[in-house]
Amino acid sequence: GDYNFRNTEQWIEPALKFLATGRYCDYHPTSKEYKNFWLLERRKCEQGIIVDGIWISPDMYFFWNYCMIPNKLEGKETRPSIWDGHYHYDLHCQLAELYGEDVAGTKSRQKGISLYHVARITRRLWFGTKLNLKIVSQEEEYVLGEWGIMSAYRNHLNNNTAWTRTFQPDESLNWEQKREVTQGTLNKKKVYKGNFNKVRGLTTKMNVTRAVGGAAKEIYVTEAGINSKLKKTKEYVDPNLKMGNVKTGMFLAMGATGELKDAQDLMEMCFNPKGSNIRSVPDTFSGTMELIGFFFPEEWNYVHQDEDTGEIIFCYDTHGNSDIELAKRLIDEEDARQRGKKDEQGYKLWKSQHPRNLQDAFDQREDNPFPTHLLKEQEFQLLNKKQIIIRLKP
């Protein structure tokens, strides 16, 4: 809600043209102008752009312009909406990479973070050279879900841009960008050409060391909030992201929380980010200003449907600027409705999927005779490395 973006249509000119005409470029494919257009667009996807003094990173430019996504509200495929929440999170990731840090955090559900992360992987797969990329989860179904998103991005790029890519192997959870060609007229020799970037999908349920192997540029752990082996996975793959102690790759783990027994590792990373080389932010959400992992709250880019009229209210403008005050008011109303019709356990579970702060996300949800809210508060403070003072009455 603080960026005050304007003129954002200049950030997404290619996407707007494609949606209006069904093509990105009007020039004939054999013309010099066609080649120059796609060379310039590739440069933007590798360096980003600056508009009115605002830098749009290469990841965001690629995501907003060349990654079509399903629009749940309109029931069709369209470009990702510009959200200040996505822009803010992307800057967090760019700074983490710049300073040799990793990323971990949690979020409210349905915030499009998976769409963004898969776009990051796809951009590196398309324009990098000899990069090793990995998408990891504890359960195979979640990797397959991300792979489905990446397959849709791939089809769109191959069908609508000049950046055609072929893969060998080209199988589920295992791609390498190359193609076999024959050279010579007499002594025909088969060779491979391409950028030789690899992307693999891996699961750690049976064996956490499956994510290990070879130097990696980026390892993205999806659904980190239901990964009970997250910390162990990070410890195993850390050497793949370094040369000695020099950081050469990046670990990113994001996800909404699931069962608390499975979210314990992510909770520790969120409340004690420095202990795992996670880029931190001040906890402005609960007002403690302690350093925490990244948090994407319910009120950022919030969409609300009025229960009585059915009206859909977007708590952000056409440029993606969140209206935080409107969102908070509507969320408070929804919170009161949920509290009124659910039991305590059901309400806390709902709250954990629509959190306003880290405490909401990781709060105790099971029935318990003990004062769990006080115990959880102590646990959060211990994770933040605070000194706990217990005063006993005489």
Side-chain angles (χ1 to χ4, degrees):
D2 295 332
Y3 281 106
N4 195 28
F5 292 142
R6 294 291 180 268
N7 303 318
T8 55
E9 65 278 355
Q10 297 178 34
W11 305 0
I12 53 171
E13 288 177 349
L16 293 176
K17 177 172 177 53
F18 177 80
L19 291 174
T21 67
R23 58 185 180 274
Y24 287 105
C25 179
D26 290 328
Y27 299 117
H28 193 276
T30 61
S31 67
K32 182 179 179 181
E33 290 82 2
Y34 181 87
K35 180 180 180 180
N36 289 339
F37 172 86
W38 287 111
L39 284 173
L40 179 58
E41 284 303 301
R42 173 169 179 164
R43 184 179 177 187
K44 293 176 183 178
C45 290
E46 292 178 321
Q47 298 179 0
I49 63 172
I50 297 174
V51 178
D52 296 333
I54 297 174
W55 180 59
I56 314 304
S57 78
D59 288 314
M60 291 312 301
Y61 186 83
F62 180 77
F63 178 50
W64 281 332
N65 285 290
Y66 292 105
C67 297
M68 296 293 116
I69 65 170
N71 186 314
K72 292 183 178 181
L73 296 178
E74 297 180 13
K76 63 179 183 180
E77 192 176 68
T78 185
R79 65 170 178 84
S81 298
I82 293 176
W83 283 6
D84 57 0
H86 283 168
Y87 182 89
H88 190 64
Y89 178 59
D90 174 70
L91 284 186
H92 180 82
C93 293
Q94 304 299 331
L95 287 167
E97 187 170 13
L98 184 65
Y99 287 104
E101 297 170 311
D102 297 313
V103 170
T106 191
K107 62 183 184 67
S108 178
R109 289 208 175 270
Q110 300 300 308
K111 293 300 186 181
I113 297 297
S114 288
L115 298 171
Y116 163 78
H117 275 293
V118 175
R120 283 179 61 97
I121 293 285
T122 305
R123 189 185 73 81
R124 286 154 179 75
L125 179 67
W126 237 249
F127 301 123
T129 303
K130 296 183 179 178
L131 302 181
N132 191 13
L133 310 161
K134 300 177 183 180
I135 302 175
V136 178
S137 76
Q138 191 163 323
E139 302 286 346
E140 185 179 45
E141 62 182 290
Y142 302 121
V143 173
L144 290 172
E146 307 297 76
W147 207 267
I149 295 170
M150 188 165 59
S151 296
Y153 290 169
R154 165 183 161 171
N155 290 339
H156 179 78
L157 291 165
N158 278 340
N159 289 332
N160 299 288
T161 75
W163 307 317
T164 303
R165 301 287 185 267
T166 55
F167 297 85
Q168 291 182 307
D170 185 359
E171 56 196 29
S172 181
L173 307 184
N174 186 19
W175 294 350
E176 182 175 359
Q177 203 288 298
K178 63 185 180 185
R179 69 184 188 280
E180 187 181 87
V181 298
T182 302
Q183 290 184 340
T185 54
L186 295 177
N187 299 320
K188 294 183 178 180
K189 181 172 63 174
K190 290 184 177 180
V191 298
Y192 287 103
K193 289 191 174 182
N195 59 32
F196 299 97
N197 293 317
K198 300 177 183 179
V199 59
R200 293 191 65 196
L202 302 160
T203 59
T204 58
K205 182 176 183 178
M206 301 302 294
N207 184 357
V208 72
T209 62
R210 285 204 64 203
V212 177
K217 182 63 177 176
E218 188 152 308
I219 297 177
Y220 162 48
V221 180
T222 182
E223 295 293 349
I226 51 176
N227 191 322
S228 62
K229 301 178 180 180
L230 183 62
K231 287 180 66 179
K232 189 176 286 187
T233 299
K234 189 176 190 305
E235 289 298 325
Y236 274 117
V237 303
D238 259 358
N240 299 157
L241 302 167
K242 295 177 180 178
M243 176 66 73
N245 71 339
V246 179
K247 204 80 160 64
T248 56
M250 193 173 176
F251 178 91
L252 304 102
M254 283 288 290
T257 58
E259 295 291 332
L260 288 182
K261 62 182 177 62
D262 298 323
Q264 198 72 21
D265 283 4
L266 182 62
M267 182 175 71
E268 291 186 29
M269 288 185 181
C270 286
F271 280 101
N272 181 23
K274 293 300 181 183
S276 300
N277 190 42
I278 302 299
R279 183 165 183 82
S280 60
V281 298
D283 186 3
T284 59
F285 310 99
S286 64
T288 67
M289 301 307 289
E290 294 289 342
L291 294 180
I292 59 172
F294 194 88
F295 179 63
F296 199 121
E298 178 81 340
E299 59 262 28
W300 290 0
N301 304 109
Y302 178 64
V303 180
H304 180 87
Q305 185 169 29
D306 188 279
E307 193 174 58
D308 299 321
T309 66
E311 178 190 5
I312 295 177
I313 303 169
F314 294 88
C315 298
Y316 54 92
D317 63 20
T318 56
H319 301 288
N321 299 294
S322 293
D323 186 337
I324 298 297
E325 294 308 312
L326 174 61
K328 286 182 175 180
R329 179 172 61 80
L330 294 175
I331 294 169
D332 285 343
E333 293 175 4
E334 180 64 20
D335 188 280
R337 277 194 291 270
Q338 294 295 329
R339 184 186 287 274
K341 64 185 181 182
K342 296 181 184 293
D343 61 21
E344 185 65 16
Q345 185 177 355
Y347 169 72
K348 285 186 175 181
L349 178 58
W350 175 85
K351 190 79 169 175
S352 72
Q353 304 306 292
H354 306 271
R356 310 280 292 277
N357 52 53
L358 281 186
Q359 288 76 7
D360 287 344
F362 295 106
D363 195 11
Q364 185 73 34
R365 303 162 207 162
E366 290 75 22
D367 289 332
N368 199 308
F370 300 102
T372 56
H373 64 289
L374 297 177
L375 296 173
K376 266 296 176 183
E377 183 181 345
Q378 293 283 69
E379 183 179 16
F380 295 149
Q381 292 185 58
L382 285 169
L383 289 171
N384 268 325
K385 304 299 184 184
K386 279 187 173 180
Q387 181 180 4
I388 306 302
I389 299 175
I390 301 176
R391 293 180 175 85
L392 298 177
K393 291 184 178 180

